Amino acid sequence: MKCPILALLLTLLQMSRPGVSQPIIIQDPGSVTGTEEGEVTLRCIVTGAPPAPVRWYRDTGSGRQYLYSTSPPPNERNDPRVSQVHQNHDTDSSIRIVRLTVNDSGMYYCEKYKVLDGSLIASGSGSRLSVQEKFRPPVIEGPQGRVLAGNAVVLTCRSNGPPGTKFTWKKNNGTVRGEQSNTLSLQTAKEDIRSTVTCETTDNTTQQTLSSEPYSLGASITVKPDVSIEANPESVKVNESVSLTCRARGFYPERVNVSWVQQGGAVEPAAERGENAENEDGTFSRNSVLNVTVTQELSGATVSCRVQIEGLAEPVQKEHTLVVTDPKPKPDQGPDPGSKLSSGSDLVIPVAVAGVVVLIVLLLAVGLYCRFRAGKKKAEIMRTPVLSIETHDKELTYASLDLQKKSNRRSMMIAESEVCAYAEIKGAKVRGAKVRGAKANDDLTYASLDEANLKRKTKEPGGGGRGGEPPGKETEYASVNFRKN
């Protein structure tokens, strides 16, 4: 067995002799093709060179990257995916690369270095490696947003197959005719929320066919809900409560937002939202309950239920008008012209005032009537001293009362008596006169007016009037019937 050191010295001596040829490195002349996740072999044959380390690099310049060597240089590590095809072979320094990626594409160089100083002896021309992406199953991409059921949805089949790859679309395992491109325009229906679509790709070179994962059309479809409002009871009185139930039926997808809005835009936060219930056709339903105390201000107001789901630009809205059986006019408004009934509380003051007025009028009328009747029946007349007494042949004696036309209590007093009224005449005593129903004293003579014809006469042309009335100015007199002695 030779000494390693002696052998190395002999090799160096031979290389330093004149006439010894330089080593030759042979690499793959053409491009080497690999497939993603596969493996590839890069050839390197070194001839005419003593045993020395061989190193592999990728690319040149600033992108130069160390890859593999049987004797790595200082501060370098071999790529764990790279190994030598033939271990300890004198001329073959080919390598194998496994688990290829697209980023592994590039130029690979095989180089020979000296043992003592590590200087470069020879370099190959390089081999170009091209790593192709693996032929993977296609992927279906749907639209950015949802479409309303009944409209067309556009699907795209993404594939990394080579040019000329064939596309086949299937819906619910049935082939969709006439669609051979990577896009599909499909008319939808409400029932399609449970339908699936697949895309198949075939490589014309290898005839390999791959199929996509099933795509659910429900991911791209929106089904509009049917919204209704039920009131229990249908009508209430002021300050009573009504229970409003908003029913959203047959909507899709499941995620939904139900809200209540009172007239004027005020959002009602105290509603019971409820839970979704799945229907047999795959759609969903939900109930939301709102309890409202109907005040006077809410009489005739509207309450709206809004249902918003993905795929609808505007929410589905249903309105309900609050029905009040005994609405009252608002404080700043008069009675409703179309209403036959008015609020009793609002009429209390006018009715009371009218009643008082009517009562006063009645009292005045009764008082005037009683005064009129009493004035005709009874009167006590206070008279100034009698100015004159005149007696005629007839059985009549006239006393001129000559009452003053003044409205004061001293000139006239009215006394009431259940039997009769008396005229008080202040004057000379009438002696020896017998007056029926009269009382006499030293100063006063009373004549019962029950037998007196109290009149008021005006002056007649030509002097005294009939019955022996005193002539002259207008007078007021009492006709007293005296019996003669």
Side-chain angles (χ1 to χ4, degrees), residues 115-190:
V115 176
L116 296 180
D117 57 3
S119 60
L120 178 63
I121 299 176
S123 176
S125 58
S127 299
R128 178 172 295 278
L129 174 62
S130 179
V131 179
Q132 297 180 353
E133 188 178 2
K134 182 181 180 180
F135 188 42
R136 293 188 175 86
V139 177
I140 297 178
E141 295 180 358
Q144 293 294 328
R146 291 178 176 269
V147 298
L148 194 62
N151 297 328
V153 61
V154 177
L155 305 177
T156 302
C157 183
R158 301 294 182 187
S159 174
N160 65 344
T165 299
K166 181 181 178 181
F167 295 87
T168 303
W169 292 92
K170 292 184 177 181
K171 177 183 177 182
N172 297 331
N173 297 324
T175 302
V176 180
R177 297 181 180 180
E179 297 291 343
Q180 300 296 327
S181 64
N182 67 328
T183 60
L184 172 66
S185 179
L186 187 64
Q187 196 70 23
T188 64
K190 177 181 178 181

Side-chain angles (χ1 to χ4, degrees), residues 343-358:
S343 171
S345 61
D346 294 340
L347 296 180
V348 170
I349 295 178
V351 169
V353 173
V356 172
V357 172
V358 171

Side-chain angles (χ1 to χ4, degrees), residues 176-375:
V176 180
R177 297 181 180 180
E179 297 291 343
Q180 300 296 327
S181 64
N182 67 328
T183 60
L184 172 66
S185 179
L186 187 64
Q187 196 70 23
T188 64
K190 177 181 178 181
E191 295 73 19
D192 284 331
I193 60 176
R194 289 181 171 176
S195 296
T196 58
V197 175
T198 57
C199 172
E200 294 182 352
T201 55
T202 302
D203 187 347
N204 287 336
T205 303
T206 62
Q207 296 302 312
Q208 182 183 8
T209 299
L210 301 176
S211 179
S212 68
E213 292 291 332
Y215 180 85
S216 174
L217 287 178
S220 300
I221 295 178
T222 293
V223 179
K224 187 177 181 180
D226 181 20
V227 181
S228 62
I229 296 180
E230 295 181 4
N232 184 25
E234 294 184 355
S235 61
V236 295
K237 295 181 179 180
V238 175
N239 295 329
E240 290 185 349
S241 295
V242 59
S243 179
L244 302 179
T245 302
C246 179
R247 302 186 186 279
R249 294 287 180 264
F251 61 85
Y252 191 89
E254 181 178 7
R255 186 176 180 180
V256 65
N257 181 29
V258 180
S259 61
W260 290 88
V261 181
Q262 291 185 1
Q263 188 173 8
V267 178
E268 176 60 51
E272 299 177 6
R273 306 301 179 186
E275 299 293 336
N276 286 350
E278 187 173 4
N279 303 318
E280 294 182 357
D281 59 357
T283 61
F284 296 89
S285 298
R286 176 185 288 191
N287 294 339
S288 179
V289 179
L290 175 66
N291 294 316
V292 179
T293 299
V294 183
T295 61
Q296 181 63 41
E297 291 73 15
L298 291 178
S299 175
T302 58
V303 179
S304 302
C305 175
R306 297 180 179 178
V307 181
Q308 178 68 64
I309 59 175
E310 185 182 356
L312 294 180
E314 297 292 337
V316 182
Q317 179 170 307
K318 189 70 175 181
E319 295 182 349
H320 175 78
T321 300
L322 298 176
V323 180
V324 182
T325 57
D326 59 343
K328 300 179 181 179
K330 296 182 180 179
D332 58 344
Q333 296 180 356
D336 186 358
S339 174
K340 297 182 179 180
L341 298 178
S342 299
S343 171
S345 61
D346 294 340
L347 296 180
V348 170
I349 295 178
V351 169
V353 173
V356 172
V357 172
V358 171
L359 181 59
I360 292 175
V361 171
L362 290 176
L363 291 176
L364 289 176
V366 172
L368 291 176
Y369 177 76
C370 291
R371 184 169 182 176
F372 174 75
R373 295 290 295 174

Side-chain angles (χ1 to χ4, degrees), residues 429-469:
K429 292 192 293 182
V430 181
R431 300 182 180 273
K434 293 182 180 181
V435 181
R436 194 172 108 187
K439 294 180 181 181
N441 56 23
D442 292 340
D443 298 325
L444 300 174
T445 299
Y446 295 90
S448 173
L449 296 186
D450 284 348
E451 298 183 3
N453 184 13
L454 187 63
K455 298 180 180 179
R456 178 177 181 180
K457 297 288 287 185
T458 58
K459 179 180 179 181
E460 292 183 0
R466 294 182 61 185
E469 296 91 345

Side-chain angles (χ1 to χ4, degrees), residues 52-86:
V54 175
R55 300 174 185 171
W56 283 88
Y57 289 89
R58 188 178 68 183
D59 297 330
T60 59
S62 60
R64 181 178 173 87
Q65 179 181 354
Y66 172 78
L67 192 65
Y68 177 81
S69 175
T70 54
S71 299
N75 302 324
E76 294 290 353
R77 297 180 61 183
N78 292 340
D79 189 327
R81 300 177 301 150
V82 181
S83 61
Q84 191 171 358
V85 177
H86 303 286

